[in-house]
Structure formats: C-alpha cells, structure tokens
Amino acid sequence: MLIPCPYCGPRDLSEFTYQGDATRVRPDPGSTDQAAWNAYVYDRVNTAGDHSEFWQHSGGCRAHLRIVRSTLTHEVKSVAYARDSIHERSRA
Amino acid sequence: MVEIVSALEPVYRRGAHGNRDGGSAITLWETQPGSIVQVTSWPGKEGAALAAINAAASLDVTADAGAGVFSDTRSAFGFAPGRWLMVDQAEGMGDTLRDRIDTQTGTVTDLSHGRTAIAIEGERAEWVLSKLFALDFSLAAFPVSVGKSTAHHEFFTLIQRTATDRFDLYVYRSFARSFWQLLCTSAEEVGYTVD
Ligand SMILES: [Zn+2]
C-alpha cells in the first residue's frame, strides 16, 4: 500500500504510523459524562468502505495526515495535513 | 571549536572490499561537515526562514517540497513542511543562522555533533540504497539536488542526491556505526571502496 504524502509524494506503508479513527470528537475535558467518554474511547463503527483516519508519516517528513481510505480495497481517496482539517473543524 | 571525532572510526576500513570481479561499483566515505543545522519555521513564516538560509549561505533554495541546492562546500534542502537541513564544510553555520532567524520566525538546531554524513557514489549507488530504503532512487523520481526524508527500520535518514550517481546521507550519530556496517554489508555484492 502506498500513501501519497502531501509533502513527500507516494511512499511505502512501512514509513507510516496509524493513529486511529479521525471521526471521533473528544468530549469537553471538564465533562463527567461517562457514556460520552466511553463512546469516545471504545466505540468504533468498523466501517466497510471509506474511512477517515489519522496517519503520521513517522519515517519521513513526520507530518500528521488525515486520510480517507477504503477499508475494502485500501485505495487512498484523499490526503491532507491533519492540522488543516482540525483548523476547519474548530472554525465550523 | 571542539574537534569532531568520527562515530565510524572503529569500523572505518579504507580500501577495496567485497566482490572484486570488475572492481568497485561504489565508493563510500564520511564527508565530515563542520556544520549540520536544522531550521524549522513556524506556520506562515516559511518564506522568511528560507530567505534567511539563502542569505546566510549564499544559496538559492526554492520553497518547493524537497527542493535543494549544493555547491562544493555547502548544501541545503527541504525535508518536511517548513523544515530544512543546511550543511557546511566549515564550522559556525549554526551561529550564523541563529543570528538571522529570530524566535518569531522559527528555530535553529545545531546538529553538527548529532549527525553523521555519509556519501555513496558510483554506478550501483541506486541499487545498493534500494536494498535499504523503500524509495524510488531513479533519476526521474529523485532528481539531482532534491532531498528526501525516509527511514530504514530505526535509521531515520535524510538523503540528498548530489549527482546522477551520488547521494549524501545524514543519520543519527548514535546509529551511524551500525548503519555504516549495514551499508558496507549491502555493498559487498557489488564491490566497494572506502575512501
Ligand atoms: Zn511525508
């Protein structure tokens, strides 16, 4: 599997580290809602299809990336710097 | 200045080694720059940091990903968003860059004693490096002067191509001896000379 890093270009999977589901939204740090924290930590949809996820190009430019990958074919549908998508989310 | 002692010294064996059919297909040597400096800019300050590098070193690096330049004594290249490596055979480039890049622009990290610089040159340089890194070393994918960051297991490595048949590698000093031995072993098949 190749991941097209926005800085480095297409690179081998061995240079990347998976950092989990990118659709999770962390509850407010002050929240004591146990169900919300439980859902944040444990609940995963286990998507069969397009999945939004964080990766780090740890063996390369070390950028954190947000990738949409098909879990059925491993096709990478989109790649962006994670910081850009996080800025988008905080502006929304 | 403090004398830089080679991390490779105990295993650095000058001369011809490996397969001698047809002589050495590559030459390996430690380039021992006096300065190896990393510059990191804050987001939005990339242009200012790059301008400071170019002015300090009389180089002309562009902002493109992985873009680099080199001369007989100096080289610089981008290896990550907002990050560049600057190498000078003379000592003191860390101080020069620190004078030109303030804390509002970015950070300057002097790695002169923290990295080992290794050159690999010869007709089979691409072949030997391809054994170690999951990179396309062909000239089309990796043009002269371009820099790339990559890794072979724990050996995080910055590579700049400095000729069609030459690459300059920068590895952590603490891993350098182990990496050098791996590089030599990988080159035995084609025959190599340590200069
Ligand atoms: Zn990258």
Side-chain angles (χ1 to χ4, degrees):
Chain A
M1 179 172 140
L2 292 175
I3 295 179
C5 173
Y7 187 88
C8 304
R11 292 293 188 93
D12 189 80
L13 173 66
S14 63
E15 292 189 354
F16 295 83
T17 307
Y18 182 63
Q19 295 187 312
D21 185 343
T23 62
R24 294 181 299 154
V25 179
R26 191 186 181 90
D28 183 294
S31 166
T32 55
D33 181 344
Q34 291 209 13
W37 281 107
N38 186 76
Y40 172 69
V41 174
Y42 295 109
D43 292 356
R44 298 293 181 272
V45 179
N46 198 19
T47 306
D50 291 352
H51 189 233
S52 180
E53 47 201 30
F54 289 121
W55 289 77
Q56 186 190 13
H57 194 187
S58 48
C61 69
R62 302 196 61 79
H64 296 269
L65 308 174
R66 186 190 182 106
I67 289 175
V68 175
R69 173 184 66 100
S70 169
T71 59
L72 298 175
T73 63
H74 290 315
E75 182 190 353
V76 175
K77 303 263 178 90
S78 73
V79 184
Y81 292 121
R83 65 181 180 207
D84 292 340
S85 67
I86 285 165
H87 290 157
E88 277 164 28
R89 190 193 295 171
S90 64
R91 275 195 298 271
Chain B
M1 298 292 275
V2 180
E3 184 188 353
I4 297 181
V5 176
S6 169
L8 308 182
E9 198 273 329
V11 294
Y12 201 86
R13 293 159 47 233
R14 284 194 167 77
H17 306 280
N19 182 3
R20 304 318 306 151
D21 295 346
S24 291
I26 60 165
T27 303
L28 301 171
W29 72 101
E30 188 183 3
T31 61
Q32 294 200 298
S35 303
I36 304 174
V37 187
Q38 178 177 319
V39 175
T40 303
S41 73
W42 304 119
K45 301 288 183 149
E46 292 85 354
L50 194 53
I53 294 170
N54 283 333
S58 303
L59 295 174
D60 189 22
V61 183
T62 66
D64 298 333
V69 294
F70 60 92
S71 68
D72 288 343
T73 56
R74 287 176 179 163
S75 71
F77 56 92
F79 64 90
R83 287 194 278 166
W84 295 268
L85 196 75
M86 221 246 100
V87 181
D88 191 350
Q89 285 307 121
E91 295 183 7
M93 186 51 78
D95 290 336
T96 304
L97 287 169
R98 217 175 276 122
D99 288 344
R100 288 171 176 267
I101 296 174
D102 63 25
T103 54
Q104 298 302 309
T105 304
T107 59
V108 176
T109 311
D110 193 332
L111 302 171
S112 307
H113 294 253
R115 296 288 183 275
T116 292
I118 295 167
I120 172 170
E121 183 174 37
E123 55 181 323
R124 304 304 294 279
E126 285 182 18
W127 172 268
V128 171
L129 290 177
S130 296
K131 296 182 182 189
L132 302 179
F133 302 102
L135 274 187
D136 183 350
F137 285 96
S138 68
L139 199 54
F142 199 156
V144 174
S145 84
V146 161
K148 290 180 189 281
S149 44
T150 184
H152 174 80
H153 298 289
E154 73 275 26
F155 305 118
F156 184 76
T157 311
L158 300 181
I159 305 176
Q160 185 181 31
R161 186 175 208 138
T162 50
T164 54
D165 63 348
R166 174 175 165 174
F167 299 87
D168 284 64
L169 280 56
Y170 302 90
V171 295
Y172 292 137
R173 181 190 169 92
S174 50
F175 292 157
R177 195 179 302 164
S178 174
F179 179 75
W180 173 262
Q181 290 177 302
L182 179 66
L183 190 59
C184 290
T185 303
S186 304
E188 270 181 13
E189 170 215 8
V190 300
Y192 65 99
T193 296
V194 175
D195 213 0

